[in-house]
Each structure stands twice: as structure tokens, then as C-alpha cells.
Amino acid sequence: MAITYERKKQRQNNILYTIITTILICAVFLVMVTSFYKKAEEDAYEMLHMQTKQIKDDLTLQLKSDRENLVTMASFAAKLYSDGESYELMFESFKPIGLLSNIGILNPDNTFVTKMGSIDLNGKISFEDEAVRGEYISGRLPDLTGDGKELIRSGVPIKVNDKTVGILYGVIPLDVIGEKYNNMANELDAQLFVYDKETGKFVIDTLDENPGELSDFKDREYNAGYSYETMATSQNGYSSFKSIITGEDLYIHYSTLEDFGWGIMLARYETQVFAETHKISQYLIVIFAVIVLILAIYLELILRSEKNRAKLNSESSDIRHLLLEINQQHENVNSALKRIKEFSGSRSAFFTDTDGEDFFYIKPTLKEKLLTGEDRKYFQGELFQYAAHIHDANKTSIGFMQIIPNGHLLETNPELYHFLLKHGIKDISFAIIADMENHVSILGTINPKKSASIRKLIEDVAICFSIAIYNKKHLNRTELAATTDSLTGALNRVAYKKDILLFDAEKPEDFACIYIDVNELHIRNNKYGHAAGDEMLIYIANSLKEVFFGQYIYRMGGDEFLVFAKKTTQENVKQNIEAFIEQLKPRGYNVAIGMSYRKQNSNCEEMVREAEIRMYEAKARYYQNKEQNSISEDTEKKYTQLKTGIREIDTMISVLKEHYNGIYRVSLDTDYAHRILMPSYLGYKEDEENFSKLLKKYINDFVHPDFHRAVMNFLNYDAIKRQISEGKTPSITYKKVNGETVILSIYNLEETMDNAKETLWVFARE
């Protein structure tokens, strides 16, 4: 009775512990979900703040640029006025620039002069009032010269001898400014509002084709801590209210364009803010449901048999642990089968599937009973037939079956009956695992002594066993595909980044890094087609594999390869390089090679940079020699050809290497920058995903204040593209705060001038 009471008390305690654990998991789940949403809200406000500043800076820069253009035109108009000439020349030469689509001049008699003629605006506008305002930009105003459409006016006085003789207006259509910044807002997946703080009228409204007013938000239901009055009167801050369109919360960051009297608001809906958090919450709910299900199963098993379930769980856990490490320790498959055999007291345990995987564990003293050859094929074929029958009948992904040589089997399948008797098989207990693609796996035992227990164990680990074997089988293929260059068969950058961490930890001795760059691949592609270029790269990769057999060979980029060689001498590496170059000569291929060598390496990136620099030096010598040979050949033919321009990056580097400060390859579309050859010049990062942000910080920190505005103009990528499309090379000379004079030049790397996306930014000492 005492023992029974103790067991009952133990079961009750286990149930209580399970319930308490479930409650704790629920509490942790709720805290986690709440914290995720709180963090998402904070991140959303911070992101809105950053993106608002981005749009604000762009809009401010654009408006200032347009105003500077108007000031320049006003000076030209003043000269025309002083010379007694009409403004017609200025109107004829004007072309839309920036946001400005048209210009006009208001005369003291309130006549408005445009390219199309003069209009009397008496009673509509006052020249005296406009002259007093000086330079300004309006909010949304009706077009006084047309059909009443609304637009934005940017006014600049025309002065002669400090007397205002006219007002030059630049016209900014709402659709022009709206289209540009609507696109920017769409890219940020947000809603943008820009409004005149004096009138409250929206200049840009991404939610409505007909822009409204700030006061439209007055009657919204604001969330706790926020109000319309605070948002309308504050210079910057955050706000949140219910959208009348969707009923969701709208999260807002607002700020002010100080120089223009405009306000800016960037907003994002609740579904946008919490999109990722919702996904995480769903995953957590699934995990939570799985945990609760496991606890419920565990509780049920405790009520049935605490002792057997504990032992089964322990065995199952050990087997799962073995399977989880199957990719690191392949013998774990046999170890797991051994555990199943020993737990069931069976003669043997086996796993097989329709992909040909076949594992069999039998006690060494019973090796003579192991099914082999045709007997094994027949045995597996019969099991797969039973598996197919069960799967088709029950439509289940996993099922358990037991085959015993009894009278029923003799009637239905006499051949299998006699086969089992011949081989001393009295019981086959196995689980069938089938997926949606009809891939079938079988995990089972032969002659188990604990039929009931082994069924529970096999069913518990069968899917895990099938997945582990499947992952083991496919992992090598996946890893090979993920770390191999599809064209050349060499390792790719994914493998490179993974391996350098291992090398840095290993600190290999007698270690070499060889950096190879293929010369004139671009020329070959253009001349013979990309197939010829691919053939060239494949041949070079195969030559590297042959010469540096057993070493680590990577394709770093389009025409760059890298080799890590371990446990080799520097002399041996040089001999291999010479052999590699000789192997390329019959094909007429040429490469630039740089090498670094360490008796013991601890930093692979330093070795790569050293080898890369030497490779570029070799590449520069190649192109310099090529230019000299070309000039020599031209001289022998008794004519001289003046060679100007820079046709390839390599030639440019060879020309500038004696006086460069820094060279970066910059994508004007993605704003991604890559440092080339020399140490980081801008001083923050070697590779920058936001080059304009990096350049802006560099300007603020290092450029002399007198040159800030001029250098800031180089943040306008659209203007740079226009200059390049006109055949110009954007360039500027400026001084740094330390007195050093620097020349910044931007070169187009594309084949055509009208498609300037990839550029080279060169910072050179004067």
C-alpha cells in the first residue's frame, strides 16, 4: 500500500509540475510576444526618423539647388534689364532643371512676362508685396496665369542698384514634385506628406491624388500621449492615430524644413510596422502549440506507465541526439540502429528507403544471419510493397506494421512465408514513413522481444530518422552547390568567407595566398562573345586545379581567382605560379598575379590584401607595357597616334597610383561602394553599403567648411548621371581642414555614356 501511495503521489506531482510548466510557458510566451511588439514599435519610430531625415535632406538639397539656379538667372535678368534688353533671351535659353518646369517675371506694373507673352495680373497679385518678401518658396497656390491649377512658386527678386525691378518666379508643378517623392516614399514602403506650415496645405500627399490639408488630421482618434495640436505646432517628433481609411494605427514621424517653412511627415501603417513581428508571433504560436502538445502527450504517458515512458523518452532522446549529429559523425547511423536493437532485444535493426539508402545493424556474433545479395533485395522489395499498400489504403505519412509468418501470411504470400522461415525470421516490426512525393523510408527490427515498447520507440524516432538520413544524403549536395562556382567548379566567395575563419583559428604554417586577375576578359567578351570569355575562365580554373592540386581554389568575382596553399615553401609556390603561367601561354591567355607568404599565418585578410595589392601592381605593369608596345608599333609604321582617355580600370590605376588618396567603385543605383587597391581613404569602412552617407560624414569631418556646399553637390547622383551622359567627367578641387588640396574625379565604367550606373571615384592629391 505504501508503494502504491508513493507511485500515486509521484504521478500527481508529475501532473502538477506539467501544469505549472505549461502556465510558465504561457507567461513566457505572452512576455516575449509583448516585448517583440514593443521593440517593433520602437524600431518603427527610429526607422521613420531616419527615413524622414533622408527625404528631408534630399528635398532641402533639391530646393536649395533650384533656388541657386533662380538666383543665377535673376542676376542674368538684372544684366539684361541694365543693358536695356528684353528678357526674351533668358526665356528662350531656359530648360527645365531640377523641380523647376518654367519661369516668369513679374514687372512693377503687375504684368507677368513668360516665354508665351505678357499677362496683366492687376488685382491678382501685388508687386510691392512680393518685393518685400525677398527670396521665398510658396506652398500650394493657384496658377494665376492659367486655368487655376495649383502649383508651387519659388520667387527671387531681380535687383539693379539695390532696387527691385522685377520678381523672377520658378514654377514647380505639383505632379513633378509629387512624382519624384511619391516614388521615394513607395521605395520606403511608407506614406509621405509635405505641407506649407503657414497654410497647412499639402504639397505632397501620397494617399490622395488631390492633396488635402494638415487640418484633415484634426478629427482623427489619436493614441495615448499624442495629439493634433502637438503635431501641428512642434518642430519635430512622433505621433500616432487611427486611419479612417483602414482603421489601423498610423505611426508618424514629423519634422520641419527650416529654410523653407515646410513641414514633412512620414507615416507607416500598423500592418507595415508589425509585418515581421506578426510572422514571428505565428511561429511562436506554432512552437507554443507543439510544446503544449508534447506536454499533453507526456502527461498521458505518465498516467499509463511512468517508468516505461521515462525509459522510452531517455532512449528516444539519445537516438535523436545521435541523429542530430549524423552529419558530423556518420557512424551515428549504426549507433542509433544499435540502440534500437538493444532496446527491443531484437536480432537486428535496419533502415532503408526508396532512394537506395540501406543501413543494417546485427550483433557481430550473428553475422551469418545477415541478409545479403539477392535475399536482401527480395526482403526490401517485399517491405516496400507492404509499405505502398498501407500508404495507399490509409493515406498516412507514417504507419506501423508487423509481419509474422503465420497462417494468414501462408495464404496471402506463401513465398514470403517460406523465405522468413528459411532465415529464422519470426517477427518484423517496422514503421513506414512516406512524404508527399511518395518517397518511402522504413525503420524496423527483426525478431524483437519487446513488441509493444519497440513500436512506441520506432514511431517516436522514425520521422527524425528519415529526416536525418535525408539531410545527410542531401547536405553534401547542398553544401557543394552553395560553396561552388557554377561556371568553373572552383570554390566561391561563400566558401572563401567560411574558410578564412577556419584558417585564422587554425593558424596554418608555411601558408601562401595567391591572387590572380584575368587580363582582358572584358575585351575578349566584347570581341568573341561571352562564350569565349567563359571558356577562358574555365581553362584558367582547371589549370589552377591542376597546378595547385589539393589546395583551396576560389573564384572571387568575374575575373578574379584566389588560392590558399598550406604546408608549402615559398619557392614551391613560385614554381607552381611559373608552371601555371606557362600552361596559359599556348592559349594566349594572360593573368596578373600577386602573392603573400607567411611561415605562420594568423590573419588571412591581411594576406589577401597584400596579395591583391601586388596583383594590381602586376596588372598595372602589364597595361603599361602594352601601351608602350602599342606606341612602339605605331612609330615603326611611321605614324603617331595620340592616345587619350582611360579605357580600363587597370590602366587608370597604373596612371594614378603615384598620387592617389583613395579609389572607390560606386554604384549610382544601389549606393554601394567598394574600395579598390589602396587603404581606406574616407576613414570609416572598407566596404560601404551607403556610400552617400559615408561621403556626407567625410565632408562634415574633413572637408574645409568653405567647400562643403560644393562637395555636397556630388551627393546628387542624378546630376552626376546627367553630366556623364553629356560626355563630361564630374570633377572638383577642394581643400581639407588640414590644408591638403584634393581633386575628386568621377569616371563612367559603363560602355555607354547614357547609362551611367557603375562609376569610379578617384580622390587624388593635387
Side-chain angles (χ1 to χ4, degrees), residues 41 45 48 217 220-228 230-231 237-243 248-254 265-270 273-274:
E41 185 178 77
Y45 277 129
L48 284 171
F217 296 150
R220 299 294 190 270
E221 181 184 346
Y222 283 79
N223 293 324
Y226 303 112
S227 68
Y228 170 79
T230 302
M231 184 175 68
Y238 302 98
S239 190
S240 177
F241 59 79
K242 293 285 185 184
S243 168
E248 301 176 46
D249 282 343
L250 200 62
Y251 292 82
I252 299 171
H253 179 265
Y254 55 89
M265 299 165 54
L266 196 66
R268 193 167 279 118
Y269 283 114
E270 177 183 347
V273 170
F274 297 118

Short mmCIF file of all heavy atoms in Angstrom, two decimals, residues 41 45 48 217 220-228 230-231 237-243 248-254 265-270 273-274:
data_model
loop_
_atom_site.label_atom_id
_atom_site.label_comp_id
_atom_site.label_asym_id
_atom_site.label_seq_id
_atom_site.Cartn_x
_atom_site.Cartn_y
_atom_site.Cartn_z
N GLU A 41 7.68 48.49 -32.41
CA GLU A 41 7.18 49.86 -32.43
C GLU A 41 8.33 50.86 -32.29
O GLU A 41 8.39 51.86 -33.01
CB GLU A 41 6.17 50.04 -31.30
CG GLU A 41 5.50 51.40 -31.29
CD GLU A 41 4.47 51.52 -30.18
OE1 GLU A 41 4.89 51.70 -29.02
OE2 GLU A 41 3.27 51.41 -30.47
N TYR A 45 9.55 53.66 -35.17
CA TYR A 45 9.74 55.10 -34.99
C TYR A 45 11.16 55.52 -35.36
O TYR A 45 11.36 56.56 -36.00
CB TYR A 45 9.44 55.49 -33.54
CG TYR A 45 7.97 55.69 -33.24
CD1 TYR A 45 7.36 55.06 -32.16
CD2 TYR A 45 7.19 56.51 -34.05
CE1 TYR A 45 6.01 55.25 -31.88
CE2 TYR A 45 5.84 56.69 -33.78
CZ TYR A 45 5.25 56.07 -32.70
OH TYR A 45 3.93 56.26 -32.45
N LEU A 48 11.40 55.47 -39.11
CA LEU A 48 10.70 56.63 -39.67
C LEU A 48 11.52 57.89 -39.51
O LEU A 48 11.58 58.74 -40.41
CB LEU A 48 9.33 56.79 -39.00
CG LEU A 48 8.24 55.81 -39.44
CD1 LEU A 48 7.03 55.94 -38.54
CD2 LEU A 48 7.85 56.06 -40.89
N PHE A 217 -6.31 65.97 -40.53
CA PHE A 217 -5.97 65.02 -39.49
C PHE A 217 -6.45 65.46 -38.11
O PHE A 217 -6.19 64.78 -37.11
CB PHE A 217 -4.45 64.81 -39.43
CG PHE A 217 -3.88 64.19 -40.66
CD1 PHE A 217 -2.58 64.48 -41.05
CD2 PHE A 217 -4.62 63.31 -41.43
CE1 PHE A 217 -2.04 63.90 -42.18
CE2 PHE A 217 -4.10 62.74 -42.56
CZ PHE A 217 -2.80 63.04 -42.95
N ARG A 220 -8.95 63.05 -36.17
CA ARG A 220 -8.58 61.64 -36.04
C ARG A 220 -8.53 61.22 -34.57
O ARG A 220 -8.40 62.06 -33.67
CB ARG A 220 -7.20 61.37 -36.67
CG ARG A 220 -7.12 61.68 -38.15
CD ARG A 220 -8.01 60.76 -38.98
NE ARG A 220 -7.75 60.93 -40.40
CZ ARG A 220 -8.35 61.79 -41.19
NH1 ARG A 220 -9.28 62.58 -40.67
NH2 ARG A 220 -8.05 61.87 -42.47
N GLU A 221 -8.62 59.93 -34.34
CA GLU A 221 -8.54 59.38 -32.98
C GLU A 221 -7.08 59.12 -32.64
O GLU A 221 -6.50 58.12 -33.05
CB GLU A 221 -9.35 58.09 -32.89
CG GLU A 221 -9.34 57.45 -31.51
CD GLU A 221 -10.09 56.12 -31.51
OE1 GLU A 221 -10.81 55.83 -32.47
OE2 GLU A 221 -9.91 55.38 -30.53
N TYR A 222 -6.47 60.03 -31.90
CA TYR A 222 -5.04 59.93 -31.58
C TYR A 222 -4.82 58.96 -30.42
O TYR A 222 -5.63 58.88 -29.49
CB TYR A 222 -4.47 61.31 -31.23
CG TYR A 222 -4.22 62.15 -32.46
CD1 TYR A 222 -5.28 62.81 -33.08
CD2 TYR A 222 -2.96 62.25 -33.01
CE1 TYR A 222 -5.07 63.57 -34.22
CE2 TYR A 222 -2.74 63.00 -34.15
CZ TYR A 222 -3.80 63.67 -34.77
OH TYR A 222 -3.58 64.40 -35.89
N ASN A 223 -3.75 58.23 -30.50
CA ASN A 223 -3.39 57.28 -29.44
C ASN A 223 -2.88 58.04 -28.22
O ASN A 223 -2.52 59.22 -28.29
CB ASN A 223 -2.34 56.29 -29.94
CG ASN A 223 -2.89 55.37 -31.01
OD1 ASN A 223 -4.05 54.98 -30.95
ND2 ASN A 223 -2.07 55.03 -31.99
N ALA A 224 -2.84 57.35 -27.10
CA ALA A 224 -2.48 57.98 -25.84
C ALA A 224 -1.11 58.64 -25.93
O ALA A 224 -0.15 58.05 -26.43
CB ALA A 224 -2.48 56.94 -24.72
N GLY A 225 -1.04 59.87 -25.44
CA GLY A 225 0.23 60.60 -25.44
C GLY A 225 0.45 61.44 -26.68
O GLY A 225 1.44 62.17 -26.76
N TYR A 226 -0.45 61.38 -27.67
CA TYR A 226 -0.30 62.15 -28.90
C TYR A 226 -1.55 62.99 -29.15
O TYR A 226 -2.65 62.65 -28.72
CB TYR A 226 -0.07 61.21 -30.10
CG TYR A 226 1.10 60.29 -29.94
CD1 TYR A 226 0.91 58.92 -29.79
CD2 TYR A 226 2.39 60.78 -29.92
CE1 TYR A 226 1.97 58.05 -29.64
CE2 TYR A 226 3.47 59.92 -29.76
CZ TYR A 226 3.26 58.56 -29.63
OH TYR A 226 4.32 57.73 -29.49
N SER A 227 -1.37 64.11 -29.87
CA SER A 227 -2.49 64.98 -30.20
C SER A 227 -2.19 65.74 -31.47
O SER A 227 -1.03 65.90 -31.87
CB SER A 227 -2.77 65.97 -29.06
OG SER A 227 -1.70 66.90 -28.95
N TYR A 228 -3.27 66.23 -32.10
CA TYR A 228 -3.11 67.01 -33.33
C TYR A 228 -2.41 68.33 -33.05
O TYR A 228 -1.54 68.76 -33.81
CB TYR A 228 -4.49 67.28 -33.94
CG TYR A 228 -4.44 68.28 -35.08
CD1 TYR A 228 -4.04 67.90 -36.34
CD2 TYR A 228 -4.78 69.63 -34.86
CE1 TYR A 228 -3.98 68.82 -37.38
CE2 TYR A 228 -4.72 70.55 -35.89
CZ TYR A 228 -4.31 70.14 -37.15
OH TYR A 228 -4.25 71.06 -38.17
N THR A 230 -0.17 69.12 -30.80
CA THR A 230 1.28 68.92 -30.64
C THR A 230 1.94 68.71 -31.99
O THR A 230 3.00 69.29 -32.28
CB THR A 230 1.55 67.71 -29.73
OG1 THR A 230 0.93 67.92 -28.46
CG2 THR A 230 3.05 67.52 -29.53
N MET A 231 1.33 67.90 -32.83
CA MET A 231 1.91 67.61 -34.14
C MET A 231 1.93 68.86 -35.02
O MET A 231 2.88 69.09 -35.76
CB MET A 231 1.11 66.49 -34.83
CG MET A 231 1.70 66.04 -36.17
SD MET A 231 0.82 64.63 -36.88
CE MET A 231 -0.75 65.39 -37.27
N GLY A 237 8.94 65.44 -34.10
CA GLY A 237 8.52 64.50 -33.07
C GLY A 237 7.78 63.33 -33.68
O GLY A 237 7.83 63.09 -34.89
N TYR A 238 7.06 62.58 -32.81
CA TYR A 238 6.33 61.40 -33.25
C TYR A 238 4.85 61.56 -32.93
O TYR A 238 4.48 62.30 -32.02
CB TYR A 238 6.86 60.14 -32.56
CG TYR A 238 8.32 59.88 -32.78
CD1 TYR A 238 9.27 60.26 -31.83
CD2 TYR A 238 8.77 59.28 -33.95
CE1 TYR A 238 10.61 60.02 -32.04
CE2 TYR A 238 10.11 59.03 -34.16
CZ TYR A 238 11.03 59.41 -33.20
OH TYR A 238 12.35 59.17 -33.41
N SER A 239 4.02 60.84 -33.68
CA SER A 239 2.60 60.85 -33.41
C SER A 239 2.00 59.55 -33.92
O SER A 239 2.64 58.81 -34.67
CB SER A 239 1.92 62.05 -34.09
OG SER A 239 0.59 62.18 -33.62
N SER A 240 0.75 59.28 -33.51
CA SER A 240 0.08 58.06 -33.94
C SER A 240 -1.42 58.23 -33.78
O SER A 240 -1.89 58.72 -32.75
CB SER A 240 0.59 56.87 -33.12
OG SER A 240 -0.10 55.70 -33.49
N PHE A 241 -2.18 57.84 -34.80
CA PHE A 241 -3.63 57.91 -34.72
C PHE A 241 -4.26 56.85 -35.62
O PHE A 241 -3.59 56.20 -36.42
CB PHE A 241 -4.14 59.30 -35.09
CG PHE A 241 -3.77 59.76 -36.48
CD1 PHE A 241 -4.46 59.31 -37.60
CD2 PHE A 241 -2.72 60.64 -36.66
CE1 PHE A 241 -4.12 59.74 -38.86
CE2 PHE A 241 -2.37 61.07 -37.94
CZ PHE A 241 -3.06 60.62 -39.03
N LYS A 242 -5.59 56.68 -35.46
CA LYS A 242 -6.33 55.70 -36.24
C LYS A 242 -6.59 56.25 -37.64
O LYS A 242 -7.05 57.38 -37.81
CB LYS A 242 -7.67 55.37 -35.58
CG LYS A 242 -7.56 54.63 -34.25
CD LYS A 242 -7.19 53.18 -34.47
CE LYS A 242 -7.21 52.44 -33.13
NZ LYS A 242 -6.77 51.04 -33.29
N SER A 243 -6.31 55.44 -38.65
CA SER A 243 -6.60 55.83 -40.03
C SER A 243 -8.08 55.60 -40.31
O SER A 243 -8.62 54.53 -40.00
CB SER A 243 -5.74 55.01 -41.00
OG SER A 243 -6.20 55.19 -42.32
N GLU A 248 -6.55 51.14 -39.14
CA GLU A 248 -5.33 50.75 -38.45
C GLU A 248 -4.68 51.97 -37.80
O GLU A 248 -4.98 53.12 -38.14
CB GLU A 248 -4.31 50.16 -39.44
CG GLU A 248 -4.79 48.95 -40.18
CD GLU A 248 -3.75 48.51 -41.21
OE1 GLU A 248 -2.56 48.47 -40.84
OE2 GLU A 248 -4.13 48.26 -42.36
N ASP A 249 -3.75 51.68 -36.89
CA ASP A 249 -2.92 52.75 -36.34
C ASP A 249 -1.94 53.21 -37.40
O ASP A 249 -1.36 52.40 -38.14
CB ASP A 249 -2.15 52.26 -35.11
CG ASP A 249 -3.02 52.21 -33.87
OD1 ASP A 249 -4.10 52.84 -33.88
OD2 ASP A 249 -2.63 51.55 -32.91
N LEU A 250 -1.75 54.51 -37.51
CA LEU A 250 -0.78 55.10 -38.43
C LEU A 250 0.34 55.69 -37.58
O LEU A 250 0.12 56.57 -36.75
CB LEU A 250 -1.44 56.19 -39.27
CG LEU A 250 -0.76 56.59 -40.58
CD1 LEU A 250 -0.71 55.42 -41.53
CD2 LEU A 250 -1.49 57.76 -41.23
N TYR A 251 1.57 55.21 -37.77
CA TYR A 251 2.73 55.67 -37.00
C TYR A 251 3.45 56.73 -37.82
O TYR A 251 3.75 56.54 -38.99
CB TYR A 251 3.67 54.50 -36.68
CG TYR A 251 3.08 53.52 -35.72
CD1 TYR A 251 2.20 52.52 -36.16
CD2 TYR A 251 3.39 53.57 -34.37
CE1 TYR A 251 1.65 51.62 -35.26
CE2 TYR A 251 2.84 52.67 -33.47
CZ TYR A 251 1.97 51.70 -33.92
OH TYR A 251 1.43 50.82 -33.04
N ILE A 252 3.76 57.88 -37.17
CA ILE A 252 4.22 59.06 -37.90
C ILE A 252 5.46 59.64 -37.23
O ILE A 252 5.57 59.67 -36.00
CB ILE A 252 3.11 60.15 -37.93
CG1 ILE A 252 1.88 59.62 -38.66
CG2 ILE A 252 3.61 61.42 -38.60
CD1 ILE A 252 0.69 60.53 -38.54
N HIS A 253 6.39 60.10 -38.08
CA HIS A 253 7.45 61.00 -37.60
C HIS A 253 7.34 62.27 -38.43
O HIS A 253 7.21 62.23 -39.65
CB HIS A 253 8.84 60.39 -37.77
CG HIS A 253 9.93 61.33 -37.30
ND1 HIS A 253 10.60 62.17 -38.15
CD2 HIS A 253 10.42 61.57 -36.06
CE1 HIS A 253 11.48 62.89 -37.45
NE2 HIS A 253 11.39 62.54 -36.19
N TYR A 254 7.37 63.44 -37.73
CA TYR A 254 7.23 64.71 -38.45
C TYR A 254 8.42 65.60 -38.13
O TYR A 254 9.04 65.51 -37.06
CB TYR A 254 5.92 65.41 -38.10
CG TYR A 254 5.70 65.63 -36.61
CD1 TYR A 254 6.16 66.79 -35.98
CD2 TYR A 254 5.03 64.68 -35.84
CE1 TYR A 254 5.95 66.99 -34.62
CE2 TYR A 254 4.82 64.88 -34.49
CZ TYR A 254 5.29 66.03 -33.88
OH TYR A 254 5.10 66.24 -32.55
N MET A 265 6.02 64.87 -43.05
CA MET A 265 5.54 63.77 -42.23
C MET A 265 5.73 62.48 -43.02
O MET A 265 5.38 62.40 -44.19
CB MET A 265 4.04 63.95 -41.90
CG MET A 265 3.72 65.19 -41.10
SD MET A 265 1.93 65.55 -41.13
CE MET A 265 1.27 64.00 -40.56
N LEU A 266 6.28 61.48 -42.36
CA LEU A 266 6.42 60.15 -42.97
C LEU A 266 5.67 59.17 -42.08
O LEU A 266 5.88 59.14 -40.87
CB LEU A 266 7.89 59.74 -43.08
CG LEU A 266 8.18 58.57 -44.02
CD1 LEU A 266 7.85 58.96 -45.46
CD2 LEU A 266 9.62 58.12 -43.92
N ALA A 267 4.77 58.39 -42.68
CA ALA A 267 3.89 57.52 -41.90
C ALA A 267 3.93 56.10 -42.43
O ALA A 267 4.22 55.85 -43.60
CB ALA A 267 2.46 58.06 -41.94
N ARG A 268 3.63 55.17 -41.54
CA ARG A 268 3.59 53.76 -41.93
C ARG A 268 2.45 53.10 -41.17
O ARG A 268 2.27 53.32 -39.97
CB ARG A 268 4.92 53.09 -41.62
CG ARG A 268 5.08 51.73 -42.27
CD ARG A 268 6.52 51.23 -42.21
NE ARG A 268 7.32 51.81 -43.26
CZ ARG A 268 8.37 52.58 -43.06
NH1 ARG A 268 8.77 52.86 -41.84
NH2 ARG A 268 9.07 53.07 -44.07
N TYR A 269 1.67 52.26 -41.90
CA TYR A 269 0.54 51.59 -41.26
C TYR A 269 0.99 50.52 -40.28
O TYR A 269 2.10 50.00 -40.36
CB TYR A 269 -0.36 50.96 -42.33
CG TYR A 269 -1.24 51.94 -43.06
CD1 TYR A 269 -1.06 52.18 -44.41
CD2 TYR A 269 -2.25 52.62 -42.40
CE1 TYR A 269 -1.87 53.07 -45.10
CE2 TYR A 269 -3.07 53.51 -43.07
CZ TYR A 269 -2.87 53.74 -44.42
OH TYR A 269 -3.67 54.62 -45.08
N GLU A 270 0.07 50.17 -39.39
CA GLU A 270 0.35 49.17 -38.37
C GLU A 270 0.76 47.84 -38.99
O GLU A 270 1.68 47.18 -38.52
CB GLU A 270 -0.91 48.99 -37.51
CG GLU A 270 -0.80 47.93 -36.44
CD GLU A 270 -2.11 47.75 -35.68
OE1 GLU A 270 -3.00 48.62 -35.83
OE2 GLU A 270 -2.23 46.76 -34.96
N VAL A 273 4.31 48.10 -40.00
CA VAL A 273 5.23 48.16 -38.86
C VAL A 273 5.42 46.78 -38.24
O VAL A 273 6.54 46.38 -37.90
CB VAL A 273 4.69 49.14 -37.80
CG1 VAL A 273 5.49 49.04 -36.50
CG2 VAL A 273 4.73 50.57 -38.34
N PHE A 274 4.31 46.03 -38.12
CA PHE A 274 4.39 44.77 -37.39
C PHE A 274 4.36 43.54 -38.30
O PHE A 274 4.07 42.44 -37.84
CB PHE A 274 3.22 44.67 -36.39
CG PHE A 274 3.24 45.73 -35.34
CD1 PHE A 274 2.20 46.63 -35.23
CD2 PHE A 274 4.30 45.84 -34.45
CE1 PHE A 274 2.20 47.61 -34.25
CE2 PHE A 274 4.32 46.80 -33.47
CZ PHE A 274 3.27 47.71 -33.36
#
